[in-house]
Amino acid sequence: MYDLKKVREDFPILSRKVHDRPLVYFDNAATTQKPLCVLDAMREEYLNVNANVHRGVHYLSQQATDLHEAARETVREFLNAKSTTEIVFTRGTTEGLNLVATTFTEAFMEEGDEVIVSAMEHHSNIVPWQIAARRKGIVLKVIPMTDEGTLCVDQLESMITPKTKMISCTHVSNVLGTVNPAKDIVRIGHAHGLPVMIDGAQSAPHFKVDVQDLDCDFYVLSGHKMYGPTGIGVLYGKEEWLDKLPPYQGGGEMIENVSWEKTTFERPPLKFEAGTPDYVATHGLATAIKYMQSLGIDNIEAHERELTEYALKRMREIEGMHIYGHPLSDSIGDAVVSFQVRDIHHMDMGTLLDQLGIAVRTGHHCAQPLMDRLGILGTARASFALYNTKEEIDVLVDGIKRVATMF
Ligand SMILES: Cc1ncc(COP(=O)(O)O)c(C=O)c1O
């Protein structure tokens, strides 16, 4: 295990006060804080290296390109992809999902074809398919879930028809913390010749992901949810798929040759990276990954699991507490606890906890169909990261109890 006290010193924001109280930051599923090494690496690049990548013969451009491409290798190794050609830099999970939904639909789907997603998707894995559905008349099918927040993967097989062309499913629910059996979903999809995309926004920050072991065809993540900067993300795609998909946007380094008559495109990953990439952010993301690796991904997972189990135990002691997901018999939950106390509105809960210095998220968490399934409008959500402590959970529990006495 790593030294938590020392780790917290890497994140100066954690020692600030909010409303005159020590900050307790439990909104990590929305975005994580950044360690000094990430900020330093990006500052150093702007201070001493900055130049556009890929295009220059001059020294700075080559140095910036080296850092940018080294970041691609760091991501490749982090995800255990076969090759850096399978690592496309995006602006984040949302852009990765849109890229695949748009290009896949254009190239491989006809009116009446079907995509299967799950009942616990973030809007980012619903809306791109709905936009595609409007354009091409494709049909969205939804893997149901139990009241406890477990996906009914046993029903997936029977949902697949000759018209099904893709399965796109979240790895970990950002509301319930459910860790879905991604490997089983991929296996079932492949048995029917279907490509499978995994939304890794809430898995990559928390446990080891091996895309070759998962055998998924696409996997997407956001840098800002794993201690990296905002505005940078990753689309992993198997080479055979990235080769087959058409370009998403045009311009910049994605071209091979342009004339008025015809343009030819670069091979992946550049084919999908139109315009100047955020090469400082890619370096920042690589630094964040190395930071996580220096602590040990398994140690991060173990620490966050302990925190989640402790939080569940302590929060269940609170009278009138309802926790969504996390069936008692099962330890499938991952670093997220969505809750409701009696009939106290989640916005009131969040606002009053904020007065105590505690940052939680409130609302529908960009998962309105899931809220509909649960029959609610929203929840309060505490989500944990590698730097959180049990003492902070005690502060949260005391805070919730205090709020509860006000109603
Ligand atoms: C499961 C899941 N998918 C997608 C997203 C979208 O991520 P981003 O806003 O970084 O594109 C989120 C963000 O909360 C998420 O939790």
Side-chain angles (χ1 to χ4, degrees):
M1 211 1 233
Y2 45 86
D3 181 341
L4 200 47
K5 189 163 168 287
K6 249 177 81 197
V7 161
R8 287 179 68 85
E9 286 166 9
D10 295 333
F11 297 83
I13 198 169
L14 298 177
S15 12
R16 69 162 287 183
K17 290 195 164 177
V18 167
H19 303 304
D20 244 4
R21 308 275 189 143
L23 168 68
V24 172
Y25 187 76
F26 281 157
D27 195 16
N28 296 287
T31 201
T32 51
Q33 302 303 342
K34 323 301 171 197
L36 280 170
C37 61
V38 169
L39 307 179
D40 290 347
M42 294 174 71
R43 184 169 190 273
E44 167 60 22
E45 186 165 1
Y46 274 129
L47 273 178
N48 280 315
V49 182
N50 184 49
N52 207 334
V53 290
H54 292 144
R55 297 168 196 191
V57 290
H58 64 81
Y59 187 84
L60 290 189
S61 174
Q62 286 181 7
Q63 212 178 351
T65 305
D66 287 349
L67 285 175
H68 182 62
E69 291 306 323
R72 207 186 296 278
E73 168 56 22
T74 302
V75 173
R76 183 207 65 72
E77 193 250 334
F78 177 68
L79 293 177
N80 193 31
K82 266 192 201 144
S83 156
T84 49
T85 56
E86 299 180 317
I87 304 298
V88 178
F89 285 121
T90 62
R91 284 190 299 126
T93 301
T94 302
E95 189 173 62
L97 293 166
N98 273 275
L99 189 161
V100 175
T102 306
T103 58
F104 185 87
T105 307
E106 181 191 328
F108 296 106
M109 297 186 83
E110 301 294 337
E111 192 173 340
D113 282 349
E114 301 160 355
V115 168
I116 298 178
V117 298
S118 85
M120 55 182 84
E121 297 307 323
H122 188 278
H123 294 164
S124 295
N125 195 28
I126 300 172
V127 183
W129 296 110
Q130 287 178 331
I131 292 172
R134 227 176 38 216
R135 285 202 194 114
K136 264 210 156 166
I138 67 167
V139 178
L140 214 57
K141 291 168 107 176
V142 183
I143 311 170
M145 68 169 209
T146 64
D147 291 344
E148 290 75 36
T150 304
L151 212 56
C152 304
V153 178
D154 54 339
Q155 297 190 28
L156 173 58
E157 190 106 41
S158 64
M159 292 171 65
I160 297 172
T161 74
K163 293 223 164 257
T164 310
K165 294 289 151 63
M166 160 77 92
I167 300 171
S168 186
C169 184
T170 195
H171 203 170
V172 177
S173 163
N174 65 316
V175 175
L176 306 168
T178 311
V179 183
N180 289 320
K183 221 170 148 171
D184 293 343
I185 294 170
V186 172
R187 189 178 36 75
I188 295 168
H190 285 181
H192 293 265
L194 300 174
V196 180
M197 174 152 67
I198 302 294
D199 173 351
Q202 302 292 347
S203 55
H206 301 295
F207 52 82
K208 174 75 192 144
V209 171
D210 180 331
V211 288
Q212 289 191 68
D213 182 51
L214 283 177
D215 201 23
C216 54
D217 301 277
F218 303 100
Y219 180 92
V220 287
L221 63 81
S222 293
H224 70 97
K225 291 185 194 286
M226 39 187 285
Y227 316 101
T230 45
I232 194 73
V234 173
L235 160 66
Y236 157 82
K238 278 187 182 163
E239 199 166 343
E240 61 194 268
W241 275 112
L242 292 183
D243 270 335
K244 279 191 281 198
L245 291 181
Y248 180 50
Q249 295 179 329
E253 286 304 303
M254 54 79 72
I255 61 95
E256 186 184 53
N257 198 44
V258 179
S259 72
W260 290 120
E261 289 73 38
K262 181 178 157 67
T263 293
T264 53
F265 305 113
E266 275 286 358
R267 293 217 42 227
L270 293 186
K271 178 167 115 184
F272 298 103
E273 294 179 353
T276 299
D278 193 341
Y279 51 85
V280 177
T282 57
H283 180 44
L285 172 60
T287 310
I289 288 174
K290 285 183 184 155
Y291 179 79
M292 288 173 73
Q293 288 170 332
S294 75
L295 301 181
I297 308 289
D298 291 346
N299 289 333
I300 294 170
E301 180 184 2
H303 175 61
E304 292 176 346
R305 196 157 285 266
E306 204 179 316
L307 284 179
T308 309
E309 276 164 15
Y310 184 68
L312 288 170
K313 178 174 150 295
R314 294 274 354 252
M315 288 168 75
R316 284 185 176 125
E317 291 163 13
I318 299 171
E319 200 214 312
M321 169 64 71
H322 182 86
I323 289 170
Y324 297 93
H326 297 282
L328 271 172
S329 55
D330 210 325
S331 64
I332 55 167
D334 188 60
V336 175
V337 182
S338 274
F339 64 96
Q340 169 78 33
V341 181
R342 299 199 312 268
D343 57 353
I344 303 170
H345 197 281
H346 51 269
M347 291 288 278
D348 292 332
M349 177 60 75
T351 308
L352 290 165
L353 287 177
D354 175 60
Q355 291 300 310
L356 301 172
I358 305 163
V360 295
R361 184 137 297 237
T362 59
H364 55 61
H365 314 296
C366 295
Q368 280 180 323
L370 173 55
M371 296 296 125
D372 290 345
R373 168 66 181 82
L374 296 169
I376 54 177
L377 290 173
T379 72
R381 179 187 75 183
S383 52
F384 312 121
L386 61 85
Y387 40 65
N388 288 124
T389 66
K390 285 188 177 169
E391 290 71 31
E392 288 181 305
I393 288 169
D394 291 337
V395 173
L396 171 70
V397 169
D398 289 346
I400 297 172
K401 284 182 178 164
R402 190 160 157 194
V403 172
T405 61
M406 296 178 189
F407 291 83

